[in-house]
Amino acid sequence: MNIFKILYLMIGVALLFYVFSETDLTLLWANLIATGYGIFFVLAIYGTAFWIDTIAWQFTLPSTRFSWIYNLCKVRMVGAAFGKMLPFSAFGGAPVKGYLLKKHYGIGYREGAASIILVESTHMLSMVFFMASGVFLISFSSDFPNNYYAFSKISLALLSVGILGFYLIQRYRLTSFVGRWLSKRSVGRKLEKFIYHMQEFDERLVQFYTRKRPLFFGAMGLNLLNWYLGAFEIYIILYFLGHPISIAESIILETFVEIVRAGTFFIPATLGSQEAAFLLSTSAITGEPTLGVATALIRRVREIVWLILGFALGWKYSKSPSELVQAAQKEMKKEAV
């Protein structure tokens, strides 16, 4: 596994070198300096989006009080910090979040894990709707080459199939179905306890989708709002870079970047791939690739701020980040037995 981590990181670094080789570094520095206090607006937008995401997570944990939003936000910040530094960043910090919920806030590991799966599911389902709006806008944009439009359509179709499949597996208890099939065989009898836990876990997911639909649609709506806040963030960044674009163009840029990020999720923090996506897409709209790299770097700045805050909170929960990860992994293995 460590070999793959290093390989994925090397791919990201190679992409980053490519981006900088295609960029006028002097102009890039001038653009970054020109943003001035604009970075505080970017941090404010990202902070708002983070709180909205936390409320969406709260919806998947109805047993907790609304006043727990602050605690959930802290747990999310720690989990996001660890997740950004690991491959498969969407779920990289999930064990840490599940462990913190159980140890410090009395939320059972299975309930916490189910809520993490649910909020990620609503996040991905809402992403499909957001990307659909972006691809629709790309079809009316004369700036994007035809091959970009074709790439966006094909990527959206593949992502939609994968995400819908992930949802259907949860909604119709397909893992439990496989478990029941295995239970009738010799290997299933050896895994009887694991299969029982899997069926119990599936039941938690199905209850949310069927009996708590207002919460499900509420979480979906909040996540969809966050995708558009991401587009607004690009709009603000380019405004302070001195090259304003329309809201529609910012949605197009965010769509293209997120498509690339989704396809390179295995790279830690999507290093290099995010910068390359901004380089290509912003160049197509503005004709200035340096603006895209500057936008990507400003986003990295706010990510670094959140990483620092997340790791700082992690120290409060444990003696060291490595001990926190080890404790989370140990808890995950114990629950799987």
Side-chain angles (χ1 to χ4, degrees):
M1 188 65 184
N2 288 331
I3 295 175
F4 285 111
K5 289 179 182 178
I6 294 171
L7 176 61
Y8 298 148
L9 184 60
M10 288 176 63
I11 292 172
V13 171
L15 282 170
L16 198 59
F17 271 110
Y18 163 75
V19 168
F20 284 125
S21 70
E22 296 293 315
T23 304
D24 183 335
L25 298 181
T26 303
L27 181 59
L28 173 62
W29 178 250
N31 281 330
L32 291 174
I33 295 299
T35 57
Y37 59 86
I39 185 63
F40 294 106
F41 286 89
V42 174
L43 288 171
I45 294 169
Y46 190 64
T48 301
F50 202 87
W51 278 97
I52 291 173
D53 262 348
T54 305
I55 295 171
W57 187 17
Q58 165 74 48
F59 283 2
T60 67
L61 277 168
S63 60
T64 63
R65 299 182 300 275
F66 195 78
S67 59
W68 279 43
I69 289 293
Y70 175 65
N71 293 329
L72 291 178
C73 191
K74 289 191 295 183
V75 171
R76 278 200 69 239
M77 290 183 73
V78 176
F82 282 94
K84 284 290 184 183
M85 303 308 295
L86 298 170
F88 311 100
S89 58
F91 292 98
V96 172
K97 287 187 280 190
Y99 170 74
L100 292 177
L101 285 176
K102 180 179 179 181
K103 181 173 177 61
H104 295 277
Y105 302 108
I107 297 175
Y109 193 85
R110 293 189 184 91
E111 183 180 357
S115 74
I116 293 167
I117 294 292
L118 289 169
V119 77
E120 288 296 339
S121 298
T122 57
H123 183 76
M124 290 188 292
L125 287 168
S126 64
M127 180 178 69
V128 171
F129 289 101
F130 171 76
M131 287 184 175
S133 69
V135 172
F136 176 76
L137 290 171
I138 290 174
S139 67
F140 291 98
S141 174
S142 59
D143 297 318
F144 266 64
N146 289 333
N147 58 334
Y148 280 42
Y149 179 46
F151 168 76
S152 300
K153 286 196 299 182
I154 294 170
S155 299
L156 175 61
L158 293 174
L159 281 171
S160 298
V161 170
I163 292 169
L164 180 61
F166 183 61
Y167 165 74
L168 292 176
I169 287 172
Q170 300 170 57
R171 173 63 179 81
Y172 293 101
R173 300 185 179 91
L174 296 186
T175 51
S176 293
F177 176 80
V178 173
R180 285 193 296 271
W181 181 81
L182 285 174
S183 65
K184 299 175 183 178
R185 279 129 182 102
S186 57
V187 67
R189 286 188 285 274
K190 296 177 182 178
L191 300 173
E192 185 176 348
K193 187 175 180 181
F194 174 75
I195 291 171
Y196 170 77
H197 289 325
M198 186 169 60
Q199 291 173 336
E200 182 186 24
F201 188 78
D202 272 357
E203 185 60 32
R204 293 176 188 271
L205 302 182
V206 173
Q207 283 183 7
F208 182 74
Y209 291 129
T210 57
R211 301 178 191 175
K212 300 173 181 177
R213 287 183 178 175
L215 294 175
F216 168 57
F217 288 116
M220 278 271 292
L222 289 173
N223 278 304
L224 184 59
L225 172 61
N226 260 351
W227 287 113
Y228 286 105
L229 276 177
F232 182 62
E233 181 185 59
I234 292 176
Y235 175 86
I236 291 295
I237 291 173
L238 285 168
Y239 172 81
F240 279 100
L241 284 173
H243 201 296
I245 59 174
S246 67
I247 292 294
E249 288 172 330
S250 67
I251 293 172
I252 289 172
L253 286 177
E254 178 72 348
T255 297
F256 189 82
V257 169
E258 290 303 328
I259 284 174
V260 173
R261 280 169 52 89
T264 56
F265 62 91
F266 51 86
I267 298 176
T270 57
L271 181 68
S273 62
Q274 177 174 274
E275 286 74 15
F278 268 114
L279 172 74
L280 296 172
S281 57
T282 308
S283 178
I285 287 180
T286 67
E288 298 182 33
T290 305
L291 286 172
V293 182
T295 303
L297 291 181
I298 291 171
R299 274 197 160 181
R300 289 295 181 193
V301 169
R302 53 89 156 148
E303 284 181 5
I304 291 170
V305 171
W306 245 250
L307 280 174
I308 293 171
L309 291 174
F311 280 121
L313 287 170
W315 280 98
K316 290 186 66 176
Y317 283 117
S318 182
K319 293 180 180 178
S320 71
S322 61
E323 287 185 9
L324 184 56
V325 171
Q326 290 170 6
Q329 291 174 340
K330 184 178 179 181
E331 184 67 29
M332 184 172 62
K333 290 177 182 178
K334 184 175 74 175
E335 291 290 335
V337 174

